[in-house]
Amino acid sequence: TDKKRVSWDKFSTATTSLLSYHLHPQISVSERAAYLWYQNRLFLKNKSNLSIMDFYRTLDMLIANKGEIETQYFEKNKTLFSEPLDLVLFDTTSIYYYDGEEKIDEKSLLQYGFSKDGKGNLKQLIVGVLMSREGVPIAHEVFKGNKSDLKSFPEIIQKVKDKYNIKRIIFVADRGMVCEENLTLIEEEGMEYILGVKMRKLPPVLRTSLLPVDTDYMDKITDNLYVSDLQLSSLTPKEQDELIDNLYDDLDTRVHSLQDKEKLKKRVLKRRMIVCFNPL
């Protein structure tokens, strides 16, 4: 509508100001704070007279064209991403809001969920960021506040495949992404991955095979880091069967047939585990 329009001059100025503001140390990262910084602390010759609504309308325009902006940004900066892009890092964070409305709209992004900020009593939304190996942001996606990393992961995989012409993808993610369903999805899509997981989260047969940790049989990287490499195919036949039984029984979507179980075994035994130990 006409009320939401913003001139190109104001749009480009507000966008540059928002980016510049976020590059400076600040207490508040709100759009209002950016506007006050622009008005009171930024001194430029012939500075445009922006209102707070110009900043809000700028954000509306940016989000409305988010997909096209991210795609063009990626295509025009391929050399910056060491073309071809072969490593994608994905992580999420929760952003909480003080919201006076008690009623929860199921369609709203603001929902109660697991808060990484320890603010479980407040509504939040989840932001996932994709980065290149150099740490350059490629894209971001926003999810409902009650959506776990496990549920957002399949969505982000599909969006990456649909949006970017990437020949080889290696997903690097933390333990919040690790479940057999997600590993199945990545492997069946022909992608590679590096996922972190705590030892106590592993199936019992793997914990038995990996523990106790003996640094005499590990490679020393630094004084506080020893590593060893375990190919799951090197497990004994009995250990392999126990591992597959454990993983199969824990699947959320259970399709109990011998063929599916054998398919799971074939995939799992291709995996390797890098065991990291900090003796300090």
Side-chain angles (χ1 to χ4, degrees), residues 116-266:
K116 297 183 179 182
D117 301 296
K119 303 284 187 179
N121 61 317
L122 298 174
K123 295 178 186 177
Q124 65 178 21
L125 55 79
I126 305 297
V127 177
V129 178
L130 284 165
M131 293 178 292
S132 70
R133 70 163 70 228
E134 293 84 5
V136 178
I138 301 169
H140 81 280
E141 301 295 339
V142 180
F143 304 96
K144 290 184 177 181
N146 58 359
K147 199 155 196 173
S148 67
D149 286 353
L150 292 176
K151 292 181 179 179
S152 62
F153 197 53
E155 286 188 35
I156 207 74
I157 288 178
Q158 196 57 48
K159 286 184 178 181
V160 169
K161 286 178 65 67
D162 293 344
K163 198 169 186 178
Y164 306 105
N165 183 24
I166 302 177
K167 296 180 180 179
R168 183 188 182 201
I169 298 176
I170 305 175
F171 274 96
V172 181
D174 60 18
R175 59 186 178 274
M177 304 291 178
V178 181
C179 72
E180 193 56 42
E181 283 75 18
N182 278 348
L183 297 184
T184 299
L185 176 66
I186 301 173
E187 290 169 344
E188 289 184 347
E189 290 288 348
M191 302 181 192
E192 299 172 82
Y193 58 87
I194 301 172
L195 301 180
V197 61
K198 288 188 175 181
M199 192 78 77
R200 65 174 180 268
K201 296 292 185 179
L202 294 175
V205 63
L206 286 182
R207 293 201 299 269
T208 302
S209 302
L210 299 174
L211 295 173
V213 175
D214 189 344
T215 55
D216 290 339
Y217 297 94
M218 303 180 78
D219 294 323
K220 181 178 180 180
I221 308 302
T222 63
D223 288 340
N224 66 336
L225 178 60
Y226 287 76
V227 299
S228 62
D229 188 349
L230 172 68
Q231 301 282 346
L232 295 192
S233 59
S234 67
L235 297 174
T236 66
K238 182 179 179 181
E239 289 174 330
Q240 291 180 13
D241 290 340
E242 183 180 344
L243 172 62
I244 301 306
D245 287 341
N246 187 278
L247 293 176
Y248 188 70
D249 291 340
D250 287 342
L251 286 175
D252 289 339
T253 307
R254 300 178 183 180
V255 183
H256 293 284
S257 69
L258 182 61
Q259 182 179 2
D260 289 331
K261 204 167 186 177
E262 288 300 317
K263 185 178 179 181
L264 174 66
K265 182 176 182 179
K266 185 177 180 180

Side-chain angles (χ1 to χ4, degrees), residues 107-118:
K107 296 181 180 180
S108 173
L109 287 173
L110 291 178
Q111 301 286 337
Y112 292 109
F114 174 73
S115 173
K116 297 183 179 182
D117 301 296

Side-chain angles (χ1 to χ4, degrees), residues 72-82:
Q72 289 192 19
Y73 167 73
F74 175 75
E75 290 297 325
K76 291 181 178 180
N77 291 279
K78 278 186 175 179
T79 54
L80 183 65
F81 301 141
S82 301

